[in-house]
Amino acid sequence: GHIVRNWKVRWFVLLQDKLLYYKIEGGKKEPSPKGRILLDGCTIICPCLEYENRPLLIKLKTKTNTDYFLECCSREERDSWALDITGAIHAGHPVQVQELHRMKNSFKLLENISLHHIVERMCDNSTGIKLTRNLEQGNRYKETFTGSAVVDWLISNSFAVSRFEAVTLASMLMEENFIKPVGARSTEATRYSDLSEQFLDDSTALYMFAESNKKNISSKEELQLNISELSGTIVKQGFLVKQGHKRKNWKVRRFVLRADPAFLHYYDPTKEENRPVGGFSLRGCLVSALEDNGVPAGVKGNVQGNLFKIITKKDIHYYIQASSKAERAQWIEAIKPLT
């Protein structure tokens, strides 16, 4: 927000020359837009690293120097939006758009390896990246490593087969806020370089583990939770409205459905840190649509319709509203095979 600096869920529609955004009430967007962002003369920064706990940001600066920070649900969604917005900004310059497509599709992480697993290996005291003190332009940095050291480590540990792949993978780690640039050399690269040059395979470019990542790996139990629950393949994600268990009120939540292992997590989009506020295993769950011509006994408050219910193996009931019957059917269809 521009007046109150809080984060709100908005429904965005990209047109040829502008980006419209709408308020969402009861899981549905209002008919009139809340605001608009004119794309003529706009500049886009992606990834935007200005908020350490929000690694999935896009920053738009308008011709009148107004800054907009937009947070996406996933790296894939962020890159897709950045690609399409860049295409609208540079409609008459297809070369830039083709470069974005090339970078987006040039490298895919092995299916059985998660970024959490890579960082866990990087932090290992015996086999991980060696942390050193470094001096750059009069500043002394503790516990840092160079860009070339990261590339060498990724190749030697078989996470990448070439320096190009290793640089791309290191860029993903930086974009997801596992590592961050420090010092003038690497910081300037993230601000002013092309997408393909933001992580530097260079012995003078310094990086370090992000503070949020240090907190995540400080507890072995918490790390195991992240790996086991959050490393599965994302099958579906999006905003739904969920009823609370205590107050029985309805709140917008970002839901992420993962397979192998099968979990459904939900996030509070107004929270600073990108961590789930709840979730559960789908094994043994029952999922079903609820008819719109009657409100079940367990449902309170403002019900707009398009309800469905998930009953966990421990007999916990979750009531969720979708924005349409079609969206409800899609979620149920995606969840059922994982139960």
Side-chain angles (χ1 to χ4, degrees), residues 182-196:
V182 290
R185 182 97 170 87
S186 55
T187 303
E188 286 178 6
T190 63
R191 291 177 179 170
Y192 306 115
S193 298
D194 295 330
L195 287 177
S196 58

Side-chain angles (χ1 to χ4, degrees), residues 301-327:
N302 183 23
V303 179
Q304 302 290 327
N306 307 312
L307 277 169
F308 64 100
K309 177 172 67 172
I310 301 175
I311 305 176
T312 70
K313 196 174 182 180
K314 297 179 180 179
D315 199 33
I316 299 174
H317 293 225
Y318 289 86
Y319 293 99
I320 301 167
Q321 295 185 58
S323 60
S324 66
K325 283 185 170 62
E327 184 182 43

